[in-house]
């Protein structure tokens, strides 16, 4: 497995991973709502690689072995099986996205992405790192709590005219 900075060529594969993960994880949302949201939220416009404080990382592995529907990188070097997106501003870094394709969850990919993300955030000298996710995503809650994050806030996110509860997890660094 290789964790690296994302390039513009990765966005098609990022969208593939996001779509598969959302459909597998978010039963609370209708399929067409998921597709529209993924199409809107997982683009080079919504994750601008050159924006100050923006970190977008991808995890890819050799496509040999488990034949999966994960996204193929543009270069063809391997299957993109996960990604993360964070923004560091001031004393806080927010992890806005962290997804691993359902076919590859439980293989340590999320942990590898998180470890690399923390090292990429360190130069920004933040006091805290927050992760924001749907409050009903129990796998996300377990993942972040296992890394020492604590739920510190709640909110709502609007998707397709409906509001869904979010949870904010914080790690003081």
């Amino acid at each position: 497995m290789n964790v690296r900075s994302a390039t513009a060529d990765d966005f098609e594969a990022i969208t593939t991973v996001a779509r598969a993960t959302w459909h597998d994880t978010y039963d609370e949302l209708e399929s067409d709502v998921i597709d529209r949201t993924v199409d809107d939220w997982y683009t080079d416009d919504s994750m601008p690689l050159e924006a100050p404080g923006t970190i977008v990382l991808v995890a890819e592995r050799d496509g040999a072995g488990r034949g999966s529907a994960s996204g193929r990188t543009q270069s063809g070097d391997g299957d993109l099986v996960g990604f993360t997106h964070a923004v560091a501003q001031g004393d806080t870094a927010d992890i806005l996205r962290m997804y691993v394709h359902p076919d590859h969850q439980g293989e340590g990919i999320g942990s590898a992405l998180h470890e690399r993300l923390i090292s990429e955030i360190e130069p920004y000298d933040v006091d805290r790192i927050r992760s924001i996710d749907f409050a009903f995503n129990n796998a996300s809650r377990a993942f972040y709590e296992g890394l020492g994050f604590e739920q510190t806030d709640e909110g709502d996110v609007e998707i397709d005219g409906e509001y869904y509860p979010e949870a904010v997890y914080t790690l003081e660094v």
Side-chain angles (χ1 to χ4, degrees):
M1 178 183 32
N2 179 40
V3 176
R4 61 173 174 77
S5 295
T7 68
D9 290 339
D10 292 321
F11 279 100
E12 183 177 342
I14 285 171
T15 301
T16 298
V17 170
R19 188 177 318 281
T21 306
W22 274 62
H23 279 289
D24 187 69
T25 306
Y26 302 136
D27 294 337
E28 293 80 2
L29 302 173
E30 293 181 17
S31 182
D32 61 327
V33 170
I34 289 173
D35 289 335
R36 282 193 303 273
T37 303
V38 168
D39 289 341
D40 289 344
W41 286 11
Y42 297 89
T43 67
D44 54 352
D45 289 336
S46 64
M47 293 186 277
L49 299 176
E50 302 302 321
T54 297
I55 302 163
V56 181
L57 302 172
V58 296
E60 61 185 359
R61 57 183 280 158
D62 181 5
R66 298 173 75 177
S68 75
S70 51
R72 198 76 176 144
T73 59
Q74 191 72 16
S75 66
D77 293 336
D79 285 331
L80 194 145
V81 294
F83 68 96
T84 188
H85 168 215
V87 176
Q89 292 180 315
D91 60 359
T92 303
D94 289 325
I95 302 171
L96 304 174
R97 299 169 173 100
M98 168 84 72
Y99 290 104
V100 174
H101 192 283
D103 290 349
H104 298 283
Q105 291 177 5
E107 297 178 8
I109 295 165
S111 296
L113 279 164
H114 177 75
E115 184 177 309
R116 172 73 182 270
L117 180 61
I118 297 303
S119 71
E120 296 281 331
I121 289 172
E122 282 180 10
Y124 292 97
D125 197 30
V126 299
D127 296 330
R128 74 191 58 79
I129 301 170
R130 299 183 306 185
S131 175
I132 305 160
D133 204 342
F134 287 116
F136 49 79
N137 187 342
N138 293 326
S140 178
R141 177 179 24 257
F143 177 76
Y144 283 107
E145 287 178 353
L147 294 169
F149 286 71
E150 294 180 9
Q151 185 174 346
T152 55
D153 204 359
E154 297 175 343
D156 291 311
V157 62
E158 182 181 0
I159 298 175
D160 208 40
E162 298 287 328
Y163 289 88
Y164 298 92
E166 284 187 314
V168 178
Y169 305 95
T170 303
L171 177 68
E172 301 292 332
V173 291

